[in-house]
Amino acid sequence: MSLTIGKHTATWPLIQGGMGVRVSAGGLAGAVAKCGGIGLVASAGISLNSPHYNGRNYFSAEPLALKDELAKARALAPDGIIGVNVMVATTNYDDNVRAACEGGAQIIVCGAGLPMNLPGLTADWPDVALVPIASSLKAAELVARKWKKAFNRLPDAVVVEDPDTAGGHLGEKLENIGNGTYDQYETVRQIKRHFIEEYNLDIPIIAAGGIWDRADVEYALAQGADGVQMASRFVCTVECDAADAFKQMYLDAKPEDIGLIMSPAGLPGRAILTNMAGVQARDRDLGLRCPSNCLKKCTYKEGQERFCIVHALDRAQRGDVETGIVFCGTNAWKADHIETVADVFEELFGVQAAMKSAASA
């Protein structure tokens, strides 16, 4: 039941999904890795709420803060598998990929765009496993073709994200989300077959989006996935790096409170909507101009449309849930208590999960 990605083998077939702007930082990633999963530090906005950021040095502070969080995670899980989630849409994508490698990341997972140049950026770190996020066979094909031709490299795994259920930024057009046409597990099987038939390569295909409990994990594996990526389930844990007020938004949420927004990044996103009026009004009321230039393309940077996404996420992570945005998946409403990461692993994989993680501590 283990999961091997590149040269790295985790005890359990689970990746903790990256949640940007310090929701999944070193504390959560380290706890997941200690329990036998793959813990991911999200690089996007990692410098905000760090001692390296002074309000004016976003880009120079980002790699320093990322390396700090990787060191924190490694201290918690000396023998665990720890990686970084990097958004392709961020302005400092290249720098964050290199900083992740320099900081000891074993796996890099890339979404919010197709990471066409990832093997080139990581050429000096051949042991780092490279994992694109895709929502379609076409996207996976494009990445594989480019990587093979330009770098003679192929992905070590692919995360297949279901836009109908996943949280945060989604790699699908808004009009295509929730219209009943997407079949996540058929996409998983298609991508699995493609790599076997086209490249004679059997790599792990990871299902992401809407996975909450043991039944969901078992279903994903039965449908052909080699593992799962879960993010929202880990928010209401003691070890999650977000403030208690952020976690309380999950505990208070009802199914109808969760829906889609258009991010200034030009991508749809799924979030808790109950405070969106405050989120949208805050930056406009203050007349705030783009403070960080965090995204390559941003409607707020270009014309003050919508709101500043990275600082809205930062405010929520710190506990301002009146003007901060809280990303989540469709099942976030199922959270009804605060638990530990070890509790989650015990529920997902049985009592042996707790025993194994304790034995390896």
Side-chain angles (χ1 to χ4, degrees), residues 13 28 32 47 61-62 68 76 96 105 119 130 198 201 221 276 309 335:
L28 178 57
V32 170
S47 66
E62 285 274 284
D68 280 357
L76 291 169
N96 276 342
L130 307 181
E198 185 71 20
L201 184 65
L221 298 178
M276 281 306 299
I309 183 71

Side-chain angles (χ1 to χ4, degrees), residues 92-117:
N92 57 341
Y93 162 73
D94 290 12
D95 291 340
N96 276 342
V97 168
R98 294 190 188 98
C101 295
E102 292 168 356
Q106 294 154 292
I107 294 174
I108 294 179
V109 179
C110 288
L114 298 180
M116 294 303 201
N117 65 337

Side-chain angles (χ1 to χ4, degrees), residues 180-224:
T181 62
Y182 188 74
D183 188 332
Q184 180 182 21
Y185 291 106
E186 179 56 28
T187 305
V188 165
R189 292 187 289 268
Q190 287 174 351
I191 294 175
K192 186 79 170 178
R193 286 195 301 269
H194 175 72
F195 279 93
I196 292 172
E197 294 171 1
E198 185 71 20
Y199 301 106
N200 193 30
L201 184 65
D202 187 1
I203 59 171
I205 309 300
I206 313 299
I211 298 166
W212 186 265
D213 56 22
R214 189 190 300 195
D216 295 332
V217 173
E218 291 176 347
Y219 182 78
L221 298 178
Q223 290 296 309

Side-chain angles (χ1 to χ4, degrees), residues 13-358:
L14 183 149
I15 301 174
Q16 161 253 309
M19 293 176 281
V21 198
R22 303 184 75 85
V23 176
S24 65
L28 178 57
V32 170
K34 183 177 180 180
C35 285
I38 296 173
L40 296 186
V41 175
S43 67
I46 195 72
S47 66
L48 304 182
N49 204 12
S50 86
H52 299 287
Y53 181 64
N54 64 16
R56 301 177 302 278
N57 63 337
Y58 182 81
F59 292 117
S60 61
E62 285 274 284
L64 300 174
L66 178 56
K67 291 175 184 178
D68 280 357
E69 296 305 317
L70 284 168
K72 183 189 298 182
R74 180 56 63 201
L76 291 169
D79 301 317
I81 309 301
I82 296 164
V84 174
N85 174 284
V86 187
M87 285 179 59
V88 179
T90 52
T91 306
N92 57 341
Y93 162 73
D94 290 12
D95 291 340
N96 276 342
V97 168
R98 294 190 188 98
C101 295
E102 292 168 356
Q106 294 154 292
I107 294 174
I108 294 179
V109 179
C110 288
L114 298 180
M116 294 303 201
N117 65 337
L118 184 58
L121 296 173
T122 60
D124 291 337
W125 297 273
D127 290 344
V128 175
L130 307 181
V131 182
I133 297 176
S135 292
S136 67
L137 173 61
K138 180 180 180 181
E141 288 175 336
L142 287 171
V143 171
R145 192 179 309 124
K146 171 66 174 180
W147 287 17
K148 183 66 174 176
K149 181 178 180 180
F151 308 105
N152 195 30
R153 177 87 189 250
L154 288 167
D156 294 292
V158 175
V159 172
V160 178
E161 182 181 80
D162 179 4
D164 290 345
T165 58
H169 287 106
L170 305 170
E172 183 56 272
K173 294 179 180 178
L174 186 63
E175 60 268 23
N176 295 335
I177 298 175
N179 63 11
T181 62
Y182 188 74
D183 188 332
Q184 180 182 21
Y185 291 106
E186 179 56 28
T187 305
V188 165
R189 292 187 289 268
Q190 287 174 351
I191 294 175
K192 186 79 170 178
R193 286 195 301 269
H194 175 72
F195 279 93
I196 292 172
E197 294 171 1
E198 185 71 20
Y199 301 106
N200 193 30
L201 184 65
D202 187 1
I203 59 171
I205 309 300
I206 313 299
I211 298 166
W212 186 265
D213 56 22
R214 189 190 300 195
D216 295 332
V217 173
E218 291 176 347
Y219 182 78
L221 298 178
Q223 290 296 309
D226 298 290
V228 297
Q229 178 175 282
M230 302 173 66
S232 294
R233 177 66 190 271
F234 287 107
V235 167
C236 290
T237 60
V238 173
E239 298 91 341
C240 176
D241 299 275
D244 289 345
F246 187 105
K247 301 173 187 181
Q248 192 65 43
M249 288 286 283
Y250 276 53
L251 296 175
D252 293 341
K254 300 182 287 293
E256 59 269 26
D257 296 332
I258 298 167
L260 296 173
I261 64 165
M262 272 305 294
S263 166
L267 298 167
R270 184 168 281 109
I272 295 174
L273 303 179
T274 52
N275 64 340
M276 281 306 299
V279 175
Q280 293 171 335
R282 190 262 185 191
D283 293 342
R284 290 198 303 268
D285 290 348
L286 292 177
L288 181 71
R289 308 296 293 185
C290 174
S292 299
N293 191 31
C294 65
L295 294 168
K296 295 172 185 173
K297 295 182 179 180
C298 174
T299 59
Y300 195 81
K301 175 174 67 176
E302 294 155 6
Q304 278 64 60
E305 291 183 27
R306 303 190 181 102
F307 51 89
C308 172
I309 183 71
V310 72
H311 287 275
L313 291 166
D314 173 51
R315 291 193 299 275
Q317 189 272 342
R318 296 175 190 241
D320 175 4
V321 294
E322 293 184 5
T323 72
I325 189 168
V326 178
F327 275 156
C328 68
T330 54
N331 284 329
W333 63 272
K334 293 183 178 180
D336 59 7
H337 66 289
I338 301 295
E339 57 192 335
T340 66
V341 169
D343 292 335
V344 176
F345 274 81
E346 184 169 350
E347 190 272 317
L348 295 177
F349 301 112
V351 69
Q352 288 184 344
M355 294 170 61
K356 282 192 177 184
S357 63

